[in-house]
Amino acid sequence: MKYSPAKPPLTGETLATLTARLQERGEPGFRARQILDWVYKKRARTWDDMTNLPKPLRGWLDDTFELMPATLVLNRQSEDVTDKLLLELGDRALIETVIIRVPQEGVGLEHSRKTICISTQVGCAMGCVFCASGLAGLKRDLNAGEIVAQLLQVCYREDARTPRARTELASFDNIVVMGMGEPLANYDAVIRALTIVNAEWGLGFGARRITLSTSGLVPKILKLADEPLGLRLAISLHGATDEVREQIMPVNKAFPLAKLLPAIRAFSEKHGRMVTLEFILIEDVNDSLEQAEKLRDIALDLHAHVNLIPYNTVEGLPWKRPSITRQERFAEILRRARVSVTLRREKGHDIDAACGQLRLKTEQTRASA
Ligand code: SAH
Ligand code: SF4
């Protein structure tokens, strides 16, 4: 299950680790910044693009590091607003990165809000019964370099669309860690990757515009609260009572609401910002009005934002989304109590944007080829 690439990816190095490696070779102190500048600002695609580095150093870098550990194998654009990058890693594992454009009222699509959704594992071990990502279990963790590479691939793609100007990652509004995998089950790699994404010598993207979503690993939520990085937090709640939640999320047995809710409170008190509670609406599972009332009470108590998401059907799974009327009735109970709530009209259903589905299909095609 552990993947040890022949050469570690350069995109997993921090300024400090790269400086240390280069110093061992007797290189001057400024080299590490120069190299990272080529990777993240100038978007060098080969070592030979790094023209101000001495040739022997380029040779050593080539022998020592993989410059880009993820290859783009498919770019599917939906009719409206979603763009999905399917990436292949060194061991042929597939991951996906999604760009979501949410149009703003009264302006064209080019002024839409743009969010990038990244993956942190190949598969997932958490076993939520509704989720395509976890269907085949966990294959492996991504390393930090593979996580960062997803964002660099988004930059490459944007650069190709606007050839005259390098697109800054900062032109995106948000990064959400909501693709395949449970980020807090791959804690160290995720924190290292997001440190690189945030750093001024890296991709320079503000941590306050990065949201990490977790199924609720309590000790790791508490650890995350102490990180200096200052990420935003979203919790996949999906059930407002233990009874409902544990039917669909096995993690609730280890970390029931009595443990999870205080951890969320501790996080938001430390950060002074609202945590988001995600709640997928699944017909006849968690869409009752009693669940809405319980969710309302939890949200008021935690002063949390609620994001209601109509369930995205997954081939082979029996779950359905409730009717629009029922979704609205559920949302209304929260709104009436002045809970901050969004009912997300999901984007990109036509290209299987729900977590893990594109990858699953490609693997099935590959298996039957
Ligand atoms: N593992 C983390 C982050 C990845 S999942 C987590 O669970 O929070 C990102 C979000 O997509 C989660 O809220 C997850 O519950 C939700 N999700 C999974 N399958 C879905 C589906 N079929 N339809 C809608 N949302 C789904
Ligand atoms: Fe894993 Fe999140 Fe899917 Fe649950 S919802 S199986 S934690 S990816």
Side-chain angles (χ1 to χ4, degrees):
M1 202 139 87
K2 194 125 184 75
Y3 168 57
S4 311
K7 295 187 271 185
L10 188 78
T11 49
E13 299 295 320
T14 64
L15 179 62
T17 60
L18 188 60
T19 303
R21 285 302 297 275
L22 289 162
Q23 270 171 355
E24 281 167 25
R25 242 185 77 85
E27 294 289 340
F30 61 83
R31 284 284 184 234
R33 263 185 192 272
Q34 219 173 17
I35 294 166
L36 295 173
D37 199 52
W38 275 113
V39 174
Y40 295 112
K41 308 289 188 312
K42 302 194 190 118
R43 309 255 228 275
R45 303 290 286 269
T46 70
W47 300 109
D48 282 336
D49 288 345
M50 304 184 185
T51 44
N52 60 359
L53 302 184
K55 217 163 180 203
L57 176 59
R58 280 186 251 159
W60 176 80
L61 286 166
D62 189 29
D63 291 341
T64 311
F65 295 107
E66 193 73 62
L67 182 53
M68 170 43 71
T71 321
L72 181 69
V73 290
L74 189 67
N75 182 357
R76 278 218 281 178
Q77 197 153 8
S78 76
E79 293 208 339
D80 50 1
V81 288
T82 313
D83 220 345
K84 195 151 188 165
L85 309 187
L86 185 71
L87 303 174
E88 188 175 79
L89 307 176
D91 58 351
R92 295 202 73 210
L94 296 169
I95 54 166
E96 56 199 7
T97 305
V98 187
I99 302 167
I100 308 161
R101 293 190 166 74
V102 182
Q104 301 299 97
E105 244 166 82
V107 293
L109 197 59
E110 65 277 15
H111 299 294
S112 51
R113 284 185 71 78
K114 294 187 295 178
T115 296
I116 309 169
C117 175
I118 58 172
S119 299
T120 55
Q121 296 182 309
V122 184
C124 183
M126 304 309 296
C128 306
V129 298
F130 48 80
C131 175
S133 288
L135 278 181
L138 174 68
K139 271 211 183 127
R140 69 169 174 90
D141 287 335
L142 297 185
N143 59 45
E146 292 166 330
I147 299 171
V148 174
Q150 296 173 59
L151 294 161
L152 210 44
Q153 283 286 353
V154 170
C155 293
Y156 292 171
R157 192 191 146 289
E158 294 293 308
D159 292 345
R161 281 158 57 108
T162 50
R164 269 178 297 149
R166 291 257 179 281
T167 314
E168 291 296 320
L169 194 65
S171 73
F172 286 85
D173 297 285
N174 300 289
I175 293 173
V176 296
V177 187
M178 293 191 188
M180 204 186 340
E182 167 49 55
L184 295 188
N186 185 16
Y187 192 92
D188 292 346
V190 168
I191 294 300
R192 183 173 174 128
L194 296 178
T195 301
I196 296 168
V197 170
N198 175 240
E200 130 289 316
W201 45 261
L203 282 163
F205 194 89
R208 282 157 188 278
R209 295 193 285 145
I210 305 177
T211 301
L212 183 147
S213 172
T214 177
S215 59
L217 298 178
V218 166
K220 296 291 169 60
I221 293 172
L222 297 172
K223 193 169 171 194
L224 188 67
D226 287 332
E227 292 287 345
L229 204 50
L231 307 169
R232 282 175 170 261
L233 182 67
I235 303 286
S236 289
L237 198 65
H238 310 331
T241 55
D242 283 324
E243 198 194 352
V244 168
R245 193 167 191 264
E246 79 181 27
Q247 274 174 25
I248 51 177
M249 299 184 71
V251 66
N252 196 70
K253 295 211 175 71
F255 304 114
L257 295 178
K259 290 188 175 153
L260 178 59
L261 301 181
I264 302 172
R265 183 189 303 284
F267 187 97
S268 62
E269 277 173 4
K270 228 168 214 161
H271 286 248
R273 325 187 72 208
M274 273 179 136
V275 168
T276 295
L277 305 175
E278 294 168 278
F279 204 93
I280 320 177
L281 292 169
I282 312 177
E283 188 178 73
D284 295 333
V285 172
N286 64 2
D287 63 340
S288 70
L289 301 186
E290 295 79 66
Q291 282 288 299
E293 284 162 5
K294 290 263 168 32
L295 177 59
R296 172 197 65 198
D297 295 345
I298 291 172
L300 286 173
D301 191 44
L302 293 175
H303 189 55
H305 173 79
V306 174
N307 193 8
L308 298 174
I309 309 153
Y311 181 65
N312 233 338
T313 46
V314 174
E315 216 175 290
L317 295 182
W319 322 101
K320 290 205 222 46
R321 60 170 57 177
S323 68
I324 301 230
T325 326
R326 205 162 167 85
Q327 293 171 25
E328 277 301 331
R329 209 177 297 157
F330 194 101
E332 194 49 36
I333 290 179
L334 293 140
R335 282 192 204 114
R336 227 182 288 144
R338 304 207 177 283
V339 172
S340 158
V341 58
T342 41
L343 173 58
R344 202 161 74 188
R345 307 294 316 139
E346 106 299 353
K347 304 295 175 197
H349 202 267
D350 58 327
I351 59 158
D352 306 318
C355 98
Q357 281 167 263
L358 176 61
R359 168 185 157 266
L360 197 75
K361 277 201 179 147
T362 309
E363 296 224 315
Q364 282 162 354
T365 319
R366 199 187 252 178
S368 62

